[in-house]
Amino acid sequence: MKAINYLNYFFVGLPVILGIAGIIHEVFPILGILATIITGIFQVIIAIKMIIDEPYDRNLQIYITTVIIYFATWFAFPKIEYIPILKHGLILIPILLAIYLSVIIYRKANL
């Protein structure tokens, strides 16, 4: 679990570092945005693996349910971009999910 924790640090930190490196060159923020996709894929795969190993962990159930609701919202309401509050709320949810799963992984790695 410690290895997964360190990998999570890398994947969560990479977009942040690339975004800050945008001060140096304008291509870095674009790479940072692309790195967030990789971070999301990594975190969802790790969460699925963890929920398979521990299906009754309440925190993982909340995480997986929230991810499913998030994607269902995007597919169910394709015109959501016209409702500013929902549009901005849906942009913040992946950040909150990344933090939430990071906390779960950190707690499991340090037990």
Side-chain angles (χ1 to χ4, degrees):
M1 188 53 82
K2 286 199 183 274
I4 291 173
N5 189 30
Y6 292 134
L7 272 172
N8 188 52
Y9 286 154
F10 171 75
F11 280 110
V12 171
L14 184 63
V16 175
I17 291 169
L18 289 172
I20 293 171
I23 296 169
I24 299 169
H25 196 275
E26 69 242 7
V27 76
F28 289 116
I30 296 168
L31 294 175
I33 291 169
L34 292 175
T36 59
I37 296 169
I38 296 168
T39 300
I41 292 169
F42 168 78
Q43 285 203 330
V44 168
I45 290 171
I46 291 301
I48 291 170
K49 181 229 176 263
M50 289 170 63
I51 197 83
I52 289 171
D53 292 344
E54 301 175 44
Y56 299 108
D57 185 343
R58 191 76 177 140
N59 291 322
L60 289 173
Q61 290 174 349
I62 292 169
Y63 176 81
I64 293 293
T65 304
T66 309
V67 168
I68 291 169
I69 291 170
Y70 172 75
F71 283 109
T73 303
W74 274 110
F75 290 118
F77 303 106
K79 303 216 186 255
I80 208 153
E81 62 212 31
Y82 301 117
I83 306 170
I85 268 190
L86 291 178
K87 179 181 175 186
H88 297 304
L90 287 177
I91 291 172
L92 291 176
I93 290 174
I95 297 167
L96 297 175
L97 285 171
I99 293 168
Y100 186 61
L101 187 64
S102 295
V103 169
I104 294 170
I105 292 171
Y106 176 79
R107 285 185 183 165
K108 289 186 179 294
N110 292 314
L111 280 180

